Amino acid sequence: MTTISLVQPSTAPAGAQVTIVGSGFTGATAVKFGATNATSFTVLSNNVITAVVPPGSGSVLVTVVAPGGTSNGVSFAYTVPVITVINPMSGPASGGTSVTIIGTGFTGATAVKFGATNATSFTVLSDNVITAVSPPGAGTVQVTVVTPSGTSNGATYNYVPTLTGLSPTSGPAAGGTVVTLTGTGFTGVTAVTFGGTPATSFTVNSDTQITATAPAHAGGTAAVTVTGPGGTSNSLPYTYIPVPVLTALAPASGPAAGGTSVTIIGTGLTGATAVKFGATNATSFTVLSDNVITATAPAGTGTVQVQVTTPGGTSNTLPYTYV
């Protein structure tokens, strides 16, 4: 007569090895978990068998088939995998992050999913640890582990938007420049900021492109970031070009026929695109530094206002008198 007195452990995932204790095992021809044959088994003695748990779920009866007949059944419960923690809990929308998943019942895992998408790859290190590479995604998803015993609970993973480019990368301190942001994971973006200041407006054109209007800023370099459901992106620098300021002209007068070389002193003169004497462009001009321009006065009469235009805007004016 074949009899089972104990199955140890009495709960385990598919793929685990259990020990069956009883009697009448010599010559056993099968070990069954419910109606399914064990993946493999070894008769160690008339009283002990080791068996590898086959795929299955829920609670089943373990039986041994031997020349003495089929044994009584002993209850065995399949362990559903359980995730207790994942690290890190977020990564770029482009994917590629190595995530460590810690829990129980991972033996024989057949899939790791980030939402509905399979991990790019995964490795079962033990019954308690899996490392998985995140696939591309967006927003917040649930990471789950699938084994022959079932699917685990979900652990929250946040896809953070990724910025890869800005065009243009600079604009006037007064703001108003339309900037195209490129990257990944822009679906559902809730904010675009320039140095902590919200963009005047923005439009999510696709998961990989946003157009945003730069707000006004004091000047210098501002970090541009994008915030989505999964968190805030990396930052890229955007340079605010200050409005040029004129402080002096030398000389401040010249003949009506023009041709006078005038030195213009101030700040923010780099990249000047125009120098005007009243409504008339200078005959020519040279930017010597951020603080100095030399310009050739055009012909004119009376007193006119000299101003300089740069990508940062148009300067204040200083008077120049035609003698």
Side-chain angles (χ1 to χ4, degrees):
M1 182 176 180
T2 305
T3 303
I4 298 176
S5 57
L6 175 69
V7 175
Q8 181 65 34
S10 59
T11 61
Q17 180 175 282
V18 299
T19 300
I20 304 168
V21 179
S23 61
F25 295 161
T26 299
T29 57
V31 175
K32 290 184 174 289
F33 287 73
T36 306
N37 286 327
T39 303
S40 64
F41 70 92
T42 303
V43 179
L44 301 180
S45 71
N46 192 56
N47 303 105
V48 180
I49 290 176
T50 58
V52 175
V53 180
S57 61
S59 294
V60 296
L61 293 177
V62 176
T63 56
V64 174
V65 180
T70 300
S71 71
N72 57 307
V74 173
S75 182
F76 174 85
Y78 278 93
T79 302
V80 175
V82 175
I83 297 176
T84 54
V85 66
I86 62 174
N87 184 45
M89 297 172 64
S90 63
S94 55
T97 301
S98 179
V99 179
T100 300
I101 305 168
I102 300 172
T104 58
F106 296 158
T107 299
T110 56
V112 174
K113 290 184 173 289
F114 286 69
T117 307
N118 286 327
T120 303
S121 64
F122 70 92
T123 303
V124 180
L125 301 179
S126 70
D127 192 63
N128 303 105
V129 181
I130 290 176
T131 57
V133 177
S134 65
T140 299
V141 298
Q142 296 297 307
V143 176
T144 55
V145 174
V146 180
T147 73
S149 301
T151 300
S152 72
N153 58 307
T156 300
Y157 182 83
N158 294 310
Y159 278 104
V160 178
T162 303
L163 277 177
T164 57
L166 304 177
S167 180
T169 58
S170 62
T177 301
V178 176
V179 181
T180 299
L181 289 68
T182 53
T184 56
F186 293 162
T187 300
V189 158
T190 56
V192 177
T193 60
F194 288 69
T197 303
T200 304
S201 64
F202 71 90
T203 301
V204 179
N205 301 319
S206 69
D207 191 65
T208 58
Q209 186 185 83
I210 293 174
T211 51
T213 301
H217 195 273
T221 300
V224 178
T225 60
V226 173
T227 301
T232 299
S233 72
N234 59 308
S235 64
L236 292 178
Y238 179 83
T239 302
Y240 277 98
I241 304 169
V243 177
V245 176
L246 305 187
T247 56
L249 302 179
S253 62
T260 302
S261 179
V262 179
T263 298
I264 304 170
I265 300 172
T267 59
L269 305 182
T270 299
T273 55
V275 176
K276 286 183 177 289
F277 286 70
T280 306
N281 286 324
T283 304
S284 64
F285 68 91
T286 303
V287 180
L288 300 180
S289 71
D290 193 62
N291 303 106
V292 181
I293 291 176
T294 57
T296 301
T301 59
T303 297
V304 296
Q305 298 299 314
V306 175
Q307 64 181 13
V308 174
T309 300
T310 74
T314 300
S315 72
N316 58 310
T317 61
L318 292 177
Y320 179 83
T321 301
Y322 282 101
V323 178

